[in-house]
Amino acid sequence: MRRGVMVLVGLALLLTGSAGAQQPADRAPGFAVHLFPPELIMQYQRRIELTGEQRSAITAAVQDLQARVVELQWQMQDETQGLADVLSQALVDSSAALAQIDRVLDVERRVKRAHLGMLVVVKNTLTARQQELLQGLRPRDEPKGGSGREER
C-alpha cells in the first residue's frame, strides 16, 4: 500500500514538474529563447566582454535565488509529504487531496517565479550587444534555451 502511494505521488509530481523543484525556468518552452541562463553567460564571459560589475550583479542574483529556493525546497518536501499522507488513507478525502495538491503547486509556482525573476535580472544586467552575442552562441541543439553547456 505504501509503495502504491509513493508511486502516485511520484506520478503527480512528474506530471506537474515538481519532481525537480530546482528546474531552471530557462528550460521552459516559448519565452526561454529570450532569457540567458547564468551558465551560458559564465561560459562566454570573455567573448561577450562581461564587466566585473555585471559579473557581481549576476552572481548576487544567483545567490539570492539559491537562498530563496532552499527554503522553498523545504516547504515543497513538507507539502509533498502532506499529500502522501492524505493519499495513504484507504478512503481518500478528495477535498483534502485537492487542497493539498494546491499547496504543493503553490510552492512550485513560487520556485518558478523566483527562477524567472532571477533570469530577468540577469538579462537586464546585459547590454543589447551582449544579448545579441549570446543568442548567436546558444547551442544549436537546444533552441528553447537549455543549460547553455556546449563543447568548445
Side-chain angles (χ1 to χ4, degrees), residues 83-146:
L83 180 59
D85 293 345
V86 170
L87 295 175
S88 69
Q89 304 302 310
L91 185 60
V92 176
D93 178 341
S94 179
S95 296
L98 293 174
Q100 190 61 37
I101 193 64
D102 284 343
R103 287 190 284 278
V104 170
L105 294 173
D106 180 59
V107 176
E108 178 183 339
R109 181 194 62 76
R110 290 188 286 157
V111 169
K112 289 180 178 184
R113 188 176 194 278
H115 276 115
L116 180 64
M118 181 272 301
L119 290 169
V120 168
V121 167
V122 167
K123 181 176 181 172
N124 289 341
T125 301
L126 301 169
T127 66
R129 178 69 181 140
Q130 289 170 322
Q131 292 177 33
E132 183 181 315
L133 287 169
L134 284 169
Q135 286 291 5
L137 292 169
R138 271 192 203 279
R140 300 290 179 238
D141 59 336
E142 296 181 21
K144 292 188 177 178

Side-chain angles (χ1 to χ4, degrees), residues 5-144:
V5 170
M6 293 312 290
V7 169
L8 285 174
V9 170
L11 180 59
L13 293 176
L14 286 174
L15 291 174
T16 64
S18 297
Q22 239 183 328
Q23 180 177 353
D26 63 308
R27 292 205 179 131
F31 62 83
V33 297
H34 305 291
L35 300 170
F36 305 98
E39 296 85 6
L40 182 69
I41 296 166
M42 201 180 316
Q43 183 177 2
Y44 294 111
Q45 61 185 307
R46 286 185 182 203
R47 215 183 272 182
I48 66 169
E49 298 177 0
L50 193 71
T51 68
E53 187 175 287
Q54 288 173 311
R55 181 179 177 171
S56 294
I58 292 169
T59 299
V62 171
Q63 289 172 338
D64 179 57
L65 172 70
Q66 290 172 338
R68 291 180 11 207
V69 168
V70 166
E71 175 59 31
L72 291 170
Q73 286 176 320
W74 279 93
Q75 291 176 19
M76 177 69 76
Q77 183 63 38
D78 185 51
E79 298 297 353
T80 301
Q81 185 58 52
L83 180 59
D85 293 345
V86 170
L87 295 175
S88 69
Q89 304 302 310
L91 185 60
V92 176
D93 178 341
S94 179
S95 296
L98 293 174
Q100 190 61 37
I101 193 64
D102 284 343
R103 287 190 284 278
V104 170
L105 294 173
D106 180 59
V107 176
E108 178 183 339
R109 181 194 62 76
R110 290 188 286 157
V111 169
K112 289 180 178 184
R113 188 176 194 278
H115 276 115
L116 180 64
M118 181 272 301
L119 290 169
V120 168
V121 167
V122 167
K123 181 176 181 172
N124 289 341
T125 301
L126 301 169
T127 66
R129 178 69 181 140
Q130 289 170 322
Q131 292 177 33
E132 183 181 315
L133 287 169
L134 284 169
Q135 286 291 5
L137 292 169
R138 271 192 203 279
R140 300 290 179 238
D141 59 336
E142 296 181 21
K144 292 188 177 178

